[in-house]
Amino acid sequence: MTIVETAPKQGRLARASAVLIAVIAVLVALDDLVHGITVSTGRVLIALGGAEGRLPLSALPQLLQADLREGTTGYLTDAPWGLRLLAASPAAIHAVTVLWAALVLTGILRYIAGAKPFEAPAISGWRHLAFILVIGGALQGLADTFAVFEIAHLSTESMFTGKHLLGADYSGIGVNIPQWPILLIVLGIVAGSIAAAFRAGARLQEEALGVV
C-alpha cells in the first residue's frame, strides 16, 4: 500500500518541481535581459521625473570604478558600442544557458513523474543538461574574461596615447577580475555524474528483467 501511494506523490512532486524550475528560469532570464539591455544601450530602461537616463561607465559589470577627470563629463553611452555589446554578452549567454537547461530539466522531470527515470530519453537528457551547463558556463566565463582584458587594454592605451578610447577622459579605471559561473559548471559536472549513474541503473534494470 505504501509503495502504491508513494509513486503518485513522487509524480506530483516532480511536476511541481518542473513548474518551479520553469518560473525561476524565466525570472532569471528576464533579469539578464534587462541587465544586458541597460549595459548595451548605456541607459536605464525607465527614467522618471526628468532623471538622467544615461548610466556612468562604472555600470559595466567588468568595472569596479571609473573616475572622470575633474571638470569633465562622460557616460556609458560615450563608450564604443561594440565594447558595450561585449560587456553585455555574459548576461546574454547566461540567459540562454539557464532557459535551455531548464527546458531540458523539465523534460527529464516528466519522465521521473511518469516513473520512467531509466528510459533512454531521460538518461540522454541528463547528458544534454551536463553539456549545456558546462559549455554555457565556460562560454560565459570566456566572454567576461575577454571583456575584462579589452577594457583594461583600452584603458591602458588611453593613458599612454591621450586618446579617450572609453568615450571620455578618465583619471582612474578599476577593472574587476573575470567572473566565471563556477556554480553552473559544477552543476553540469553533477548532471554528468547523474547521467552515468542512471545509465548504470538502466543496465541493472535490463539485467534484472532478463533474469526474470
Side-chain angles (χ1 to χ4, degrees), residues 11-201:
R12 288 194 296 269
L13 179 60
R15 286 189 289 270
S17 299
V19 172
L20 180 61
I21 288 169
V23 171
I24 293 174
V26 169
L27 291 176
V28 170
L30 285 175
D31 181 67
D32 286 332
L33 177 63
V34 171
H35 182 68
I37 290 174
T38 56
V39 170
S40 59
T41 62
R43 296 176 179 274
V44 296
L45 291 182
I46 301 174
L48 301 176
E52 175 59 69
R54 292 176 295 180
L55 293 167
L57 186 70
S58 57
L60 290 177
Q62 293 80 18
L63 286 182
L64 297 173
Q65 66 180 74
D67 300 325
L68 286 162
R69 200 170 300 280
E70 188 175 354
T72 64
T73 58
Y75 297 93
L76 181 54
T77 51
D78 301 319
W81 186 63
L83 180 64
R84 285 181 271 141
L85 283 181
L86 178 61
S89 63
I93 295 171
H94 184 259
V96 172
T97 301
V98 168
L99 286 176
W100 193 2
L103 181 63
V104 172
L105 184 55
T106 52
I108 295 171
L109 288 173
R110 281 197 295 270
Y111 280 92
I112 294 176
K116 300 176 180 178
F118 297 126
E119 291 288 320
I123 297 173
S124 177
W126 284 113
R127 291 198 300 268
H128 291 159
L129 182 62
F131 176 83
I132 292 165
L133 292 174
V134 172
I135 299 301
L139 289 176
Q140 181 185 340
L142 288 172
D144 195 70
T145 300
F146 187 59
V148 166
F149 278 99
E150 181 63 15
I151 293 171
H153 168 70
L154 293 177
S155 175
T156 302
E157 192 171 342
S158 297
M159 181 176 63
F160 284 106
T161 64
K163 298 178 181 179
H164 301 158
L165 299 178
L166 293 174
D169 188 7
Y170 293 94
S171 59
I173 295 289
V175 184
N176 198 3
I177 62 173
Q179 301 298 302
W180 281 71
I182 301 300
L183 180 59
L184 279 185
I185 296 173
V186 170
L187 288 175
I189 296 172
V190 171
S193 301
I194 293 174
F198 272 56
R199 190 162 55 247

